[in-house]
Amino acid sequence: MKTLRPAILCAFTSIFIPGGALAEFSAQCGDLFAGERLTLVVPNSPGGGYDTYSRALAPVLEKHGGLTARVTNMPGGGGNAARSFVMNSDAESLVLLIENTADLVTSPMGNIGRGALAEKDFTIAGYRIVGILHSEASAWVARDGLDLFSPDLGTLVASEGSLEEALLPVFVAGLALGIDMDAVTGYDGTGEMGAAILRGEADITSASLTTTKRLAQNEGLEVNLVLSDGPAPSDPDLPFLAGEGSVVWDLTAGLPEAEATYRRSLAAAVAGLRGAARGMFVSVNLDADRAACMAELMDLASADPEFAEAAEAQGRPVAPIPAAEAGELVASLIASHAAALPTLEAIAAEKINE
Amino acid sequence: MTYFEALSEGIGNVFSFPNILIPVLGTVLSMVSSFLPGIGGSSIAALMILLTVTWDPVPVLLLFGAMTGGATFMGSVTAILFNIPGNSSAAAAMLDGHPLTRKGLPRTAIACAATASALGSVVGVVVLIALLPVIRPFLLEFGPLERLLLGIWGLSTIAAIPNSSVLKALAVTALGLLAAAIGTDPETALPRWNFGTFALFDGFDMIALLLGFFTVTELIGWRKNYRLAPPDNPEREKDSVLAGVMAVIRHYRLLLRSSVVGTVVGIIPGVGGTVAGFVAYGQAVQSAGNDRSKFGKGDIRGLIAPEAAVDAKDGGSLLPALAFGLPGSEAGVILVTVFAIHGLVPGTPMLTVDLSLTFTLVAALLLSNILTSVVGVTLAPALGRLTNLRVDRIALPALVASLVTVVQLNGVLFDLYVVLGFGIFGYLLKRFDWPRVPFVIAFVLGSFIERNVALTTQLFALDRLSFFERPAAMVLAGLIVVSFLWMARKKGVPQDAVAAPRFAARFALGLMAIAGLLAGIALVTPNGYSAYATGMAVAATVLCLLVSLREVVAARLVATRSMPIPTSHVVPILSLLVMGSVTALFGLPAGIGAVVLTWVGAGHQWRSRQMVWTLAIAVGLGLATFYYLDRVANVIVPTGWIVSAISQGI
């Protein structure tokens, strides 16, 4: 969260400072895009979060850009068809991918590492980020009354979608907290993971903060840890994982410095890599002038109150981060992931061999 | 507000003017969308979410309740008339529905299906209403172990499907489970058998597979057919709407049993209507005692059971969404989104303070199911006449619509090759007298079973599960035992004469080689191939080997050299192969043009007038495909290797 907070502040500033939201698309970009078609590619079926953001954004893009904006859903190949299509689009095509930034950084690299995908299909270097619509941390939702500080805690069992999804929020977070963790993997969706806790099959599960709050509300569970490195802006009273005043900070206070530093660095890695930042990406193949204009257009559209109103009416909060800051965030994610990769691969290898 | 006050208010919300117009609109929308190729119900629903953001909760629930149930029955119409399921849930309706049409009883079959659907949905909704007060503890009884047992029970229905060879049925079941395992390991998310292509990350798309397996396989035989086979009705049964309606009333016990099966299957998230239909069909055959010889040949009970179950499932599928916010299907995802937008909280609030809204949703669902069935009964005479159409004129448009639709659904060209590949595979299974339905049941259930095998074994290992503390699991285990005992007593049906035994043996050997290759990959690759996946590959290899050995013996006994494919089927198969090749090289519009040119132009002189017309139609359809995908459907038009290479300046 530390890396995000200045960017969020900057985005809010651009909305509320007079002239920030009222800025107009530059004449040069207006001429370049006039009458063109922009395709917003969603890697999921209609009806989900990314689809909602895209459909709310399209009319605002048309208003500012003087172009035709259309949404297309490409859920095929687990969303990889959409990612590959955008990455390989040509210099002239205005094609935009709406995708979770952390997933785009972490999953494809892991998949390529295992030989599942070729770099021609995927590499984070194949995209240029042109803005973030909303960003939030992940969190743990747990059975009622679970005390992370209890000496009788024993081994905690998490319910997760897959081993890959469990690596950071369960196993690395567990190492940071000094808690023995295990995971039951293969559940289909966060609702199922929540139901597993109610059936006593697991103690915790992880998802974005919004989803965990919804799970807690629906199913009588409780959000007991936000995987961020600072208090969540929407829920400042919830305990958080990393950084000063965090759970890990407290748990490692009396330990030898080397161990405390190691565990705090693991917590920071989880906080940095497990966010849900809804990013907008174009291909690096896109002509430089067009890419710059796309960034300008996205900054304008994502800060437009009409977009925020349409998205928030459908339960999708908006807190835009402009292209420049979003680029810095992606660079920081790539560096964090590269640093964490050996640890993640070691845990994965150990768990697969189990 | 008491339970009955809430029920009364919910029903009142639907049956008042002008409120009643909203579920009617929802029903019409979903019925229309079920007929428009590629405009899936979820796309329409996503659009309606946006349009109804400012509506009050009651009309919103009326609309989405109706849209959840509206399209279910319509998919069965084409399954009954043409052996082509309109959606995957309608696949089981083909087993006896289409044979009824071939007996000259299309009106009876459609009226029967519509009536069974309507009454099935009534039972589903009644069960839903009865279970609402106790639903949370009831739902928590269905964990991974119960789902695994339900999947195995569903698989045991394969034995109820009439087939000529137990060995072939077992082999094709193993192949179906193996096909379902292609994609990604559910436990680790490691890829397997995807050969480096991301298109197989989620495995074979079910709609693409079913389109190929049933639709394309059927269409291959239509090019030189002027009409479906003449009626084969030795008992001279009368074809009427009344006969269809009365048949359902006569078999009311079966209707009730099937509806309860459908509701229970619907409650389990991630199972769906396809499984509900087949499980109900299986229990109909198993409960028929000695009177089951007509199943698969046009037994009306074989149509009542799946139709009642598939519509009853809609009621059950609402329960997880209402009680836990747990979407069990695509429609469930839409509903949970709608709840969130309009401030409705699934769980205790939907079952207490907002109970009248819950009943509003349920009543709208019931109304839509009944409305579609009334439309079905009313239109049965007209729909029955469709069987008199010249099928050779329907075949090519149906093929083109299927191929364009499947590319549109996921935006992946690979799905088109799945349709073509499984179309030819299904055709060959049919030619060589392999049962096709076990493959589909196994494929539909495969990933569900594997996921729950993985979860159950992990939970046992962590001591988080005890069989003897799970009463629902014990009941399901009992049902499985009964099914297997029944299976042991069952007699097979005579094998059809195989046209070309030598080719049949080679076909079986080919299947064995494919399964063997996959088994080899699984055995030498360190990660991603679970014991389950490897076991399926090995089992499929061994079973195909046994079938091929038997076919070799048969080929020696019958020393004929007849061709396995009738000459009238050669051009359609060639058209599919040409289509696949041209699409790969030049893109989908060119592929569509090529299939038209081959299908229509074969046999004509190159310089004849017909050929000029054919060429014009092919070019026109190719351009129309491009325009439709690019401008109307708004999807990315797939280009081929050569077109991509040229556009990238290589």
Side-chain angles (χ1 to χ4, degrees), chain A residues 227-306:
Chain A
L227 304 178
S228 62
D229 59 358
S234 60
D235 300 86
D237 296 334
L238 286 173
F240 54 94
L241 180 73
E244 199 171 344
S246 68
V247 174
V248 168
W249 198 274
D250 288 349
L251 286 171
T252 55
L255 296 177
E257 194 176 337
E259 189 183 345
T261 306
Y262 172 66
R263 282 172 56 178
R264 288 171 187 175
S265 70
L266 289 176
V270 175
L273 289 167
R274 280 311 300 177
R278 277 126 186 150
M280 297 175 287
F281 299 85
V282 294
S283 169
V284 286
N285 298 335
L286 187 65
D287 170 77
D289 288 344
R290 286 174 166 256
C293 289
M294 281 287 273
E296 187 184 327
L297 179 59
M298 295 309 143
D299 285 353
L300 272 176
S302 59
D304 190 319
E306 269 182 43

Side-chain angles (χ1 to χ4, degrees), chain B residues 197-551:
Chain B
T197 170
F198 61 75
L200 273 172
F201 248 53
D202 283 347
F204 294 121
D205 181 73
M206 192 195 295
I207 295 175
L209 187 142
L210 291 178
L211 265 175
F213 217 65
F214 291 117
T215 308
V216 172
T217 299
E218 193 69 20
L219 294 179
I220 285 172
W222 283 13
R223 182 172 174 270
K224 286 285 180 189
N225 253 355
Y226 291 122
R227 57 169 299 171
L228 295 172
D232 170 24
N233 187 358
E235 291 143 31
R236 296 186 181 279
E237 293 169 71
K238 193 181 170 200
D239 183 28
S240 73
V241 171
L242 186 64
V245 175
M246 291 311 294
V248 179
I249 309 235
R250 211 166 47 245
H251 296 290
Y252 69 93
R253 284 184 189 159
L254 174 65
L255 178 96
L256 282 173
R257 269 202 315 275
S258 306
S259 304
V260 171
V261 167
T263 310
V264 171
V265 172
I267 288 171
I268 317 294
V271 188
T274 316
V275 177
F278 282 116
V279 170
Y281 184 88
Q283 67 84 28
V285 179
Q286 290 179 2
S287 61
N290 295 325
D291 180 24
R292 54 175 188 267
S293 59
K294 290 181 187 165
F295 278 98
K297 298 172 188 164
D299 192 316
I300 201 97
R301 294 170 297 176
L303 182 59
I304 294 170
E307 283 301 297
V310 167
D311 268 57
K313 177 252 346 165
D314 289 341
S317 68
L318 284 184
L319 284 169
L322 288 169
F324 292 104
L326 184 60
S329 60
E330 208 168 54
V333 173
I334 301 278
L335 268 183
V336 170
T337 307
V338 168
F339 291 161
I341 292 171
H342 295 275
L344 302 170
V345 182
T348 310
M350 284 296 274
L351 305 174
T352 51
V353 287
D354 290 327
L355 190 58
S356 65
L357 292 176
T358 298
F359 284 127
T360 303
L361 179 76
V362 171
L365 168 79
L366 177 64
L367 178 67
S368 74
N369 273 324
I370 292 175
L371 272 178
T372 47
S373 298
V374 168
V375 170
V377 170
T378 311
L379 294 181
L383 292 170
R385 278 198 286 277
L386 290 177
T387 52
N388 296 326
L389 290 174
R390 281 185 54 171
V391 293
D392 59 328
R393 291 182 179 171
I394 306 172
L396 186 57
L399 179 67
V400 169
S402 303
L403 296 172
V404 173
T405 299
V406 81
V407 173
Q408 192 183 335
L409 285 176
N410 289 325
V412 182
L413 188 59
F414 184 80
D415 287 348
L416 181 131
Y417 302 117
V418 173
V419 175
L420 298 178
F422 277 94
I424 293 171
F425 175 56
Y427 173 81
L428 292 174
L429 287 181
K430 198 173 162 185
R431 291 297 308 165
F432 296 123
D433 197 32
W434 286 61
R436 288 186 299 161
V437 172
F439 181 89
V440 174
I441 297 178
F443 178 78
V444 168
L445 285 168
S447 54
F448 178 76
I449 289 175
E450 187 189 1
R451 181 178 293 278
N452 287 298
V453 165
L455 286 169
T456 304
T457 49
Q458 290 174 79
L459 289 169
F460 274 126
L462 289 169
D463 204 20
R464 291 270 174 157
L465 190 62
S466 167
F467 177 75
F468 295 104
E469 290 171 11
R470 310 290 302 182
M474 290 191 266
V475 171
L476 284 164
L479 284 171
I480 292 169
V481 171
V482 170
S483 289
F484 279 104
L485 287 175
W486 179 87
M487 224 185 292
R489 292 176 51 226
K490 188 188 158 223
K491 291 175 187 167
V493 297
Q495 182 164 4
D496 288 347
V498 176
R502 285 175 191 275
F503 287 98
R506 286 175 199 166
F507 176 65
L509 279 169
L511 293 180
M512 186 206 73
I514 293 169
L517 174 70
L518 297 183
I521 292 171
L523 288 167
V524 300
T525 310
N527 295 327
Y529 295 87
S530 60
Y532 171 93
T534 309
M536 280 309 138
V538 172
T541 309
V542 172
L543 287 163
C544 287
L545 174 67
L546 293 175
V547 174
S548 54
L549 288 174
R550 210 185 67 171
E551 300 284 31

